[in-house]
Amino acid sequence: MWHNRITFKTAAAIGACVFALAGCTSRDSDESSEPMARDVAMTNQWASAADSGMTALFGSFTNSGRHDVRIVSGTSPIAGHVEVHEVVPDTAGGKAMQRKEGGLVVPAGGSRELIPGGDHLMLMDLKQPLQPGADVAVTVVFEDGSTLPVTAQVRDFAGGNENYSPGGGGNGTSHHRG
């Protein structure tokens, strides 16, 4: 009889643990372990033509997943590095472009526009000129390290002549086309 009570108590304890663990392995936690890039697409992507220096990449990101995703950088064979940038008011009443700390969030079930005069990806230290009509390959990098390869058409675009503020302070002096 005593042996059966221990077995019953042990079985009850094991059952409670299994039940508790089942609640921890819901579909949401399984999905959140999936790569951020899995549910993201980019459409209408294009890059501004440039002879040297830097240029911007624009387009629309759509996130069909159930979790927000964060874009933190990118890579491209034609650029030394790719940064997430934003355009903010500067101290002189104009606009300044700077690195966007924390990257860009694309909300779950939503979209995020990269537009001239707003958020964009900046291809820095161009290794070759980008002529209108050409294509440029860019790999978008998410916070979890997952990636999304995109190809953008290069277009002639004069840009907003924002000041570039590499330190993020909004009072830089060099101009950029994009």
Side-chain angles (χ1 to χ4, degrees):
M1 193 80 166
W2 178 74
H3 177 65
N4 288 341
R5 276 188 246 158
I6 293 176
T7 304
F8 178 75
K9 287 181 183 178
T10 303
I14 290 171
C17 289
V18 168
F19 182 76
L21 288 174
C24 293
T25 59
S26 69
R27 182 165 166 73
D28 285 343
S29 65
D30 289 344
E31 282 184 10
S32 66
S33 66
E34 292 293 330
M36 287 183 171
R38 179 186 76 164
D39 296 319
V40 178
M42 187 176 196
T43 57
N44 302 317
Q45 62 268 24
W46 62 279
S48 180
D51 292 328
S52 63
M54 59 186 153
T55 195
L57 176 78
F58 308 106
S60 300
F61 285 102
T62 304
N63 177 2
S64 62
R66 294 176 32 176
H67 299 281
D68 293 353
V69 298
R70 184 177 304 274
I71 298 167
V72 295
S73 66
T75 61
S76 178
I78 60 95
H81 58 285
V82 178
E83 297 178 349
V84 176
H85 279 200
E86 64 183 344
V87 176
V88 296
D90 68 12
T91 56
K95 297 183 291 181
M97 178 189 60
Q98 63 188 22
R99 187 174 188 172
K100 186 173 182 75
E101 294 302 321
L104 298 168
V105 173
V106 183
S111 61
R112 182 71 178 255
E113 299 291 322
L114 304 186
I115 59 170
D119 295 336
H120 56 277
L121 295 178
M122 183 59 70
L123 285 68
M124 311 286 290
D125 301 322
L126 292 176
K127 298 176 182 178
Q128 65 190 51
L130 292 179
Q131 301 299 321
D135 287 335
V136 59
V138 177
T139 301
V140 178
V141 179
F142 292 83
E143 182 177 47
D144 67 351
S146 62
T147 59
L148 175 68
V150 298
T151 301
Q153 183 183 57
V154 178
R155 298 181 185 168
D156 197 14
F157 177 71
N161 291 325
E162 298 93 354
N163 291 322
Y164 174 51
S165 180
N171 52 357
T173 56
S174 63
H175 292 283
H176 121 72
R177 291 183 46 186

